[in-house]
Amino acid sequence: IGPLRAAPFCTILGRASFRRPAMNLKARILLLTAAIFVAAALAGWLAMRALTMGIIEEWAERRVRIQVLYHKSRALEPPLRELALARQMARAPAIIDWAREPDNPQYRAEALTELESYRENFREHSYFLALADSGRYYHNNAKNEFAGAELRYVLDAAKDNDQWFFELLRQKHEVQVNVEPKEKIDTTNVWINALVRDGERVLGVAGTSLDLANFIQGILDSDERGVTSLFI
């Protein structure tokens, strides 16, 4: 009777001893599967993030390049247009004739009429003409304040504020663009200068100007969020 009773007990113990490792193995497989899934998901997320950031950086670089070229073209368009008009004005026969004979009243009237026609076409509706022989500086602005009194003052080589004119005459550059304040007419502008010539002889300087504050503000103004422009 003893051996017969012992057999079922041993069988139960044997079955019990084999179930625990089987349960541990199943749990390990589940944990391993979960770990592999998490690792794969993390790797996929990191790869997608790297790809997305690369696309964003490439797009941003292209966007910035386009923005810079756009602002560059906006910055160049006004002075280039004004420069072309100033050169055309400096070559006008009526102005050249007057610059040759500044005391001729007929030439003076014709030249001032010509200057007024250009004033209407310039962006700031202003012009200036400085004659080399006399140093007389003629100017009228958008408000037409100086109609009939276009002669504003006489340039003096001994004054620092007037050195720009005599320097231009010495350099004999066909055109020049610079930023300079003019205390006598209370402005700080982008000045566009073109030489008035009679062959090789320099008769004077003619041109126009762009208001510096309006010029820069017009270039840098942008309604786009996240875009800040610098003008150098």
Side-chain angles (χ1 to χ4, degrees):
I1 296 172
L4 291 175
R5 291 180 178 177
F9 180 72
C10 291
T11 302
I12 292 171
L13 286 178
R15 288 177 181 173
S17 63
F18 282 109
R19 283 178 183 174
R20 288 180 182 175
M23 291 178 64
N24 290 338
L25 181 60
K26 184 177 180 181
R28 290 174 183 174
I29 292 173
L30 290 175
L31 288 175
L32 180 60
T33 303
I36 293 173
F37 177 79
V38 170
L42 180 61
W45 178 78
L46 291 174
M48 182 61 67
R49 185 176 184 274
L51 178 62
T52 303
M53 291 302 296
I55 293 172
I56 290 173
E57 289 177 4
E58 183 178 356
W59 176 86
E61 183 179 348
R62 291 182 181 179
R63 185 71 181 86
V64 169
R65 187 179 294 112
I66 292 171
Q67 195 73 16
V68 169
L69 292 175
Y70 168 68
H71 282 298
K72 182 179 179 180
S73 65
R74 286 185 64 196
L76 288 176
E77 189 274 332
L80 286 178
R81 178 186 178 277
E82 302 299 280
L83 184 59
L85 279 174
R87 293 181 69 177
Q88 185 178 347
M89 182 175 70
R91 295 172 180 174
I95 293 173
I96 294 174
D97 289 341
W98 184 36
R100 286 200 203 101
E101 300 181 38
D103 295 324
N104 186 312
Q106 181 180 349
Y107 287 163
R108 181 181 185 277
E110 292 175 355
L112 289 176
T113 301
E114 187 80 4
L115 289 169
E116 279 298 308
S117 68
Y118 277 96
R119 184 178 70 85
E120 294 297 327
N121 287 299
F122 283 127
R123 180 168 177 162
E124 296 286 337
H125 303 297
S126 69
Y127 72 82
F128 72 87
L129 172 66
L131 301 180
D133 289 343
S134 62
R136 295 171 184 170
Y137 185 91
Y138 296 85
H139 167 69
N140 200 359
N141 60 17
K143 297 179 181 179
N144 198 25
E145 289 182 289
F146 308 118
E150 291 85 0
L151 177 59
R152 305 309 307 144
Y153 55 91
V154 177
L155 296 160
D156 188 347
K159 295 181 178 179
D160 291 339
N161 290 336
D162 296 339
Q163 285 303 308
W164 64 271
F165 173 67
F166 299 99
E167 188 65 26
L168 280 176
L169 296 181
R170 285 192 294 268
Q171 292 176 354
K172 295 185 178 181
H173 292 321
E174 187 70 23
V175 293
Q176 186 185 65
V177 178
N178 63 345
V179 177
E180 186 179 348
K182 286 286 187 292
E183 294 180 0
K184 293 180 181 178
I185 55 176
D186 193 26
T187 58
T188 299
N189 290 350
V190 179
W191 294 92
I192 298 170
N193 312 301
L195 292 184
V196 179
R197 289 179 177 271
D198 180 16
E200 293 300 317
R201 181 188 173 195
V202 178
L203 302 175
V205 180
T208 186
S209 62
L210 297 170
D211 183 271
L212 182 61
N214 293 337
F215 175 64
I216 294 177
Q217 197 67 30
I219 294 170
L220 299 186
D221 272 352
S222 176
D223 296 330
E224 295 186 64
R225 295 178 60 186
V227 174
T228 302
S229 301
L230 303 177
F231 182 73
I232 301 175

